[in-house]
Amino acid sequence: MSTAVNSGLRRSARTCYKPDPEIERSGKPAFVLSLTEVKLLGIAGVGFFLDAYDLFIINPVLTMLQYRLYGGNALPVGLHGFVNASANIGSVIGQFTFGYLADALGRSAIYGKELMLIIFATIMCLTTPTGSLSPNSSLIYLGIFRIILGIGVGGDYPMSASVTSDRSNLYKRGTMLAYIFANQGWGSFIGSLNTVIVLACYKHVMNDEGETSKADGVWRIVVALSLIPAFATLYQRLTMPESTRYTEARRMAENQEADLEKEVRALKNVGHNTEGIAASSSLSGSDIEKEDRTQESTVPPSQNGPANPEAIATKKDKAQIGEFIAYFSEWRHAKHLIGTCVCWFLLDIAFYGINLNQNVVLTQIGFAGKTGSDWEKLFKVSTGNLIVTALGFVPGYYATVLTIEKLGRKWIQIQGFLLAALFLGILAGKFNTLSHAAFIVNFALLQFFFNFGANATTYCYPAEVFPTRFRAFAHGVSAASGKAGAIISALAFNALSQDIGTPAVLWIFFGCCIAGAFFTLLLPEVKGRDPDLVSRSDPHLIKCQYIQYVSKSVK
């Protein structure tokens, strides 16, 4: 590669990105937020509130549909797994799609579209015609629109992560991401609380009058309540301007592309023989610029490139994909992507295997009650969900918020995996002998170390370890790997529980957590690390870009 281009790219790296003064430490604790950060937390955090609300509300919804559609009998195993997994199936699509578009087209151009999709799908779920379709068809109808809901929910992962990381100071970036993700705990908690409250309002008609089918109204009200925060933040998302960090990253990429195109043009001018290449390599930066101006003045407009916007957009999209592949073709970058993907995959097998089937676990150890009216069983299950969420979910998230900048992401993730494995081992080994109180304590501690651990850090890592230009897509790929694990768990948990027993399934989750701690070793500590500065002068990436443009020119 010529010295002119190499030095030009490195010079561009130094001048096109300057650390923002806001990145400097303010002296305040990282968890103390400014007014601007609180506003950002409100806009991006509501998305994760809805993510958890919509994903985990399916637990009480399916329990209520047992009474509305099947007279209290268990749902068909296959359909139960399909509806459980449907939102996660959609999430995989949304994470890939929105992640790529956010990098290729910009955060501001895409942000808010995923929330519109969530609103549409939620409304369609509410229209499930349980009175006119067969029970099985009703579940299929609900599952289809939950797939669409999942596309919006999945899109929120890379969007909110990249929007937050782009706008955060380095010394509190992890705290901001943890704050955003902590809204998942509140979403799950509020969903459980709403279920308990609405069920209490229906006690007379369902319990005293015996109209159990009224559970159909309960789940629709609970699901519809999620539309309130969705509509409240839609406008702010649609009108959010582009971040300075992303704009500078794109300008940096364009400058590098311009330098490479100048070099290719210089190579063409002096011929493709060895002497010509050597001669072009000795050109100074001013010589190349002079040659470039001369060429531009003599080339007809039709040869300067595509004139229509669609062709230009296509060119940029292809360049984005090529640069993404070039960046991750080297092991030192690829191992980070492998680490984030595999850790999230293993975490979600255990996390969603437990939480999407929490009612099944509570019922099997007798918390739902073997006696009592249908309403009492529903109320006990909902109360159990609320207790576990309050004890484990919310405290775990905020333990991460308060300590992430002190302990670091890597330490929190490894200890979270190992302690989650410990409590899964206790539950698996003593599943049939634990008292109700002992089960709740162990289950709450399991949830606590999921969230003061890998469930939070697997979300933070991709938003911090990858440079801005590839951050959203890499985050989407990582999150999609996690959702693949969640889909496997949702589809297999019930069948495996019946075939080999719930304790054996919990041992599988135990193994996933141990493996997750091991794969975390592939990841660096990202506390205070700016991936943009790390990658600016990456000689491997510059070389790949050079080869890519030279090859394109030769063709």
Side-chain angles (χ1 to χ4, degrees):
M1 190 191 310
S2 78
T3 305
V5 171
N6 202 359
S7 61
L9 290 175
R10 295 183 186 278
R11 182 172 62 254
S12 180
R14 292 191 297 270
T15 59
C16 286
Y17 178 80
K18 296 180 180 179
D20 194 309
E22 291 184 2
I23 291 177
E24 301 298 326
R25 290 180 177 273
S26 65
K28 297 179 181 178
F31 56 83
V32 177
L33 304 181
S34 67
L35 185 61
T36 301
E37 289 166 337
V38 170
K39 182 179 179 181
L40 176 61
L41 178 63
I43 296 171
V46 164
F48 264 89
F49 175 91
L50 293 172
D51 294 345
Y53 193 106
D54 290 327
L55 284 176
F56 296 130
I57 202 66
I58 198 63
N59 276 321
V61 168
L62 288 179
T63 304
M64 293 176 205
L65 287 175
Q66 285 182 247
Y67 294 97
R68 175 64 181 91
L69 299 175
Y70 296 92
N73 298 318
L75 301 173
V77 173
L79 286 175
H80 190 179
F82 167 67
V83 179
N84 254 349
S86 56
N88 286 311
I89 293 171
S91 289
V92 172
I93 301 171
Q95 284 154 350
F96 274 115
T97 304
F98 281 90
Y100 171 73
L101 292 175
D103 279 344
L105 304 180
R107 285 43 158 162
S108 62
I110 305 301
Y111 205 36
K113 309 303 188 297
E114 76 292 337
L115 189 56
M116 294 172 66
L117 204 56
I118 290 173
I119 291 171
F120 166 76
T122 300
I123 293 172
M124 295 308 297
C125 286
L126 294 174
T127 66
T128 302
T130 52
S132 55
L133 289 180
S134 67
N136 288 0
S137 297
S138 294
L139 290 181
I140 293 172
Y141 181 100
L142 178 62
I144 289 172
F145 282 106
R146 278 188 62 80
I147 290 175
I148 298 174
L149 173 70
I151 295 174
V153 168
D156 196 68
Y157 276 70
M159 290 304 308
S160 291
S162 55
V163 164
T164 302
S165 185
D166 290 349
R167 287 170 165 77
S168 297
N169 298 342
L170 282 181
Y171 90 98
K172 63 194 307 182
R173 180 184 58 203
T175 301
M176 284 298 296
L177 289 165
Y179 263 125
I180 298 298
F181 199 67
N183 282 277
Q184 190 178 76
W186 287 112
S188 182
F189 176 78
I190 297 299
S192 298
L193 181 63
N194 284 346
T195 304
V196 170
I197 292 173
V198 178
L199 271 173
C201 295
Y202 271 73
K203 181 179 180 181
H204 176 71
V205 68
M206 289 180 65
N207 194 48
D208 300 340
E209 298 181 3
E211 296 186 33
T212 308
S213 63
K214 295 296 183 181
D216 200 44
V218 176
W219 76 260
R220 293 178 197 271
I221 293 173
V222 172
V223 170
L225 289 173
S226 67
L227 292 172
I228 297 174
F231 278 112
T233 55
L234 179 59
Y235 176 77
Q236 285 82 357
R237 287 196 175 202
L238 291 173
T239 57
M240 179 176 283
E242 195 62 82
S243 69
T244 302
R245 186 179 293 269
Y246 177 81
T247 302
E248 291 180 348
R250 286 306 298 261
R251 186 169 67 245
M252 169 68 186
E254 290 169 359
N255 289 344
Q256 288 179 344
E257 181 177 344
D259 285 343
L260 286 166
E261 287 178 342
K262 290 175 185 177
E263 172 67 2
V264 171
R265 195 173 289 121
L267 285 171
K268 283 184 175 181
N269 290 341
V270 298
H272 293 291
N273 53 56
T274 306
E275 293 80 5
I277 293 177
S280 71
S281 299
S282 64
L283 289 173
S284 66
S286 59
D287 291 333
I288 292 176
E289 290 175 4
K290 181 179 179 181
E291 190 72 39
D292 185 53
R293 286 193 298 269
T294 303
Q295 176 119 353
E296 285 180 353
S297 63
T298 58
V299 174
S302 61
Q303 297 180 20
N304 282 335
N308 62 82
E310 292 184 2
I312 294 173
T314 301
K315 180 181 177 182
K316 288 185 177 180
D317 289 352
K318 289 181 179 179
Q320 180 71 25
I321 294 174
E323 290 168 11
F324 184 90
I325 294 173
Y327 184 80
F328 289 104
S329 65
E330 188 182 7
W331 170 246
R332 63 191 176 117
H333 300 310
K335 71 178 182 179
H336 296 162
L337 187 60
I338 292 171
T340 58
C341 289
V342 174
C343 288
W344 210 333
F345 173 78
L346 294 168
L347 179 276
D348 275 11
I349 288 178
F351 181 74
Y352 281 94
I354 291 290
N355 289 290
L356 286 179
N357 297 281
Q358 189 166 294
N359 288 352
V360 176
V361 177
L362 292 174
T363 301
Q364 288 192 359
I365 58 95
F367 193 81
K370 299 297 182 182
T371 59
S373 66
D374 293 340
W375 179 89
E376 289 171 343
K377 293 177 183 178
L378 282 171
F379 194 80
K380 287 178 181 177
V381 169
S382 300
T383 304
N385 289 336
L386 180 62
I387 292 171
V388 170
T389 302
L391 292 178
F393 260 63
V394 176
Y397 285 116
Y398 284 96
T400 301
V401 168
L402 295 175
T403 62
I404 192 169
E405 302 297 350
K406 296 292 184 182
L407 301 178
R409 290 65 161 161
K410 195 168 187 175
W411 190 93
I412 290 177
Q413 183 157 308
I414 290 175
Q415 66 86 30
F417 267 129
L418 294 178
L419 287 171
L422 170 65
F423 292 107
L424 279 167
I426 294 173
L427 289 173
K430 300 289 185 180
F431 188 78
N432 295 315
T433 57
L434 283 175
S435 66
H436 293 341
F439 174 84
I440 290 295
V441 170
N442 278 276
F443 201 71
L445 287 171
L446 170 63
Q447 297 287 12
F448 178 84
F449 285 105
F450 269 142
N451 298 308
F452 178 42
N455 190 41
T457 53
T458 50
Y459 172 77
C460 296
Y461 248 121
E464 298 190 89
V465 74
F466 301 118
T468 301
R469 287 170 61 193
F470 312 121
R471 178 174 292 145
F473 193 28
H475 195 287
V477 172
S478 303
S481 300
K483 284 298 176 280
I487 292 168
I488 291 172
S489 254
L491 294 176
F493 184 92
N494 288 322
L496 282 176
S497 294
Q498 293 179 10
D499 293 341
I500 63 176
T502 301
V505 177
L506 295 177
W507 280 121
I508 294 174
F509 296 162
F510 169 89
C512 288
C513 289
I514 295 296
F518 174 79
F519 275 97
T520 302
L521 298 177
L522 290 173
L523 299 170
E525 177 54 60
V526 293
K527 181 174 63 174
R529 179 179 185 270
D530 188 340
D532 288 323
L533 294 180
V534 172
S535 68
R536 288 300 186 222
S537 299
D538 186 340
H540 176 76
L541 181 57
I542 294 173
K543 181 179 177 181
C544 289
Q545 290 172 325
Y546 179 82
I547 294 171
Q548 179 185 354
Y549 281 104
V550 169
S551 299
K552 188 164 56 175
S553 174
V554 170
K555 291 179 182 178

